[in-house]
Amino acid sequence: GQSLEQPSEVTAVEGAIVQINCTYQTSGFYGLSWYQQHDGGAPTFLSYNALDGLEETGRFSSFLSRSDSYGYLLLQELQMKDSASYFCAVRALSGNTGKLIFGQGTTLQVKP
Amino acid sequence: DSGVTQTPKHLITATGQRVTLRCSPRSGDLSVYWYQQSLDQGLQFLIQYYNGEERAKGNILERFSAQQFPDLHSELNLSSLELGDSALYFCASSPQGAETTGELFFGEGSRLTVL
């Protein structure tokens, strides 16, 4: 089976940097994705890591260590609009395709 | 706007009833995924279809069924509804070739309330 662990809540102030960690267990692994969801809205894709290392996209960066089954999402220069839930997800092997399994999500609250 | 359309946006029904949720994927996307999100919970994978065929199955209840039609739209049928089925149901799609990436395009969801 697959399981992912991430903190349930994180609080930070505007302008700061925050890191959201994710550890996973899965049989077969393609890569780790991150999604953002604002209050009941549609989840939106942020990033995907298939190889070890850091991927940077603007203020957001994502890191993966396959050997440690660990990744994180780094948000820099936090803005109020970054207050949302953030989900890590793994692409796990399922037959000849990979199903995307999500963690329980981390609620980020950005304070002024 | 992701290009994925879900209807209805809101649905209120009673226990024991049956409902059908509909999803139209982005133009050209062959894969459709269904997820259930209960209050303050993560996204629970239900089922995936690819070009009309079932590709992967999650913890989908036997009371739930889905299909993908030749025009690639998909329907999720929920029957003998229980209070615990109240949730947001999301549909997502991905294009061919994106099967090994993590990028899905989600619709706005259908909020089901069972009274």
Side-chain angles (χ1 to χ4, degrees), chain B residues 34-97:
Chain B
W34 286 98
Y35 285 87
Q36 179 193 55
Q37 186 176 37
S38 301
L39 190 63
D40 295 330
Q41 295 294 310
L43 293 150
Q44 301 297 317
F45 172 71
L46 295 178
I47 199 163
Q48 178 204 358
Y49 282 86
Y50 178 83
N51 203 19
E53 294 188 1
E54 183 183 304
R55 268 291 179 93
K57 216 166 184 176
N59 296 324
I60 187 167
L61 299 172
E62 286 191 11
R63 300 184 286 109
F64 296 0
S65 65
Q67 56 183 325
Q68 186 180 28
F69 295 86
D71 67 353
L72 300 178
H73 91 272
S74 178
E75 293 181 356
L76 179 67
N77 301 296
L78 315 175
S79 62
S80 302
L81 285 168
E82 302 175 359
L83 295 178
D85 297 328
S86 296
L88 257 176
Y89 291 85
F90 285 104
C91 169
S93 73
S94 67
Q96 186 176 10

Side-chain angles (χ1 to χ4, degrees), chain A:
Chain A
Q2 299 85 29
S3 67
L4 298 98
E5 286 192 19
Q6 51 181 128
S8 58
E9 293 182 4
V10 174
T11 301
V13 297
E14 210 172 1
I17 300 172
V18 70
Q19 179 174 313
I20 300 174
N21 299 320
C22 174
T23 58
Y24 60 87
Q25 288 186 328
T26 181
S27 53
F29 177 79
Y30 281 132
L32 185 70
S33 304
W34 288 92
Y35 282 78
Q36 180 191 60
Q37 184 184 33
H38 283 100
D39 209 23
T44 55
F45 174 81
L46 293 176
S47 67
Y48 175 73
N49 295 67
L51 303 175
D52 286 356
L54 192 68
E55 296 277 346
E56 297 182 50
T57 309
R59 294 187 297 114
F60 293 3
S61 303
S62 57
F63 172 83
L64 175 66
S65 169
R66 295 174 70 108
S67 59
D68 295 323
S69 298
Y70 163 76
Y72 66 72
L73 179 69
L74 192 72
L75 297 85
Q76 301 182 71
E77 300 172 17
L78 280 173
Q79 301 176 8
M80 297 299 291
K81 68 178 182 179
D82 297 329
S83 293
S85 292
Y86 293 84
F87 295 89
C88 57
V90 292
R91 201 53 126 153
L93 284 178
S94 173
N96 58 352
T97 188
K99 54 186 178 182
L100 197 63
I101 305 299
F102 285 78
Q104 290 296 98
T106 299
T107 300
L108 170 63
Q109 185 179 13
V110 180
K111 294 186 173 180

Side-chain angles (χ1 to χ4, degrees), chain B residues 5-46:
Chain B
T5 303
Q6 289 189 247
T7 57
K9 284 185 170 47
H10 300 275
L11 189 57
I12 301 174
T13 188
T15 55
Q17 295 299 303
R18 172 190 169 94
V19 299
T20 297
L21 310 180
R22 182 188 169 103
C23 169
S24 294
R26 294 188 326 154
S27 177
D29 285 359
L30 301 180
S31 280
V32 168
Y33 305 73
W34 286 98
Y35 285 87
Q36 179 193 55
Q37 186 176 37
S38 301
L39 190 63
D40 295 330
Q41 295 294 310
L43 293 150
Q44 301 297 317
F45 172 71
L46 295 178

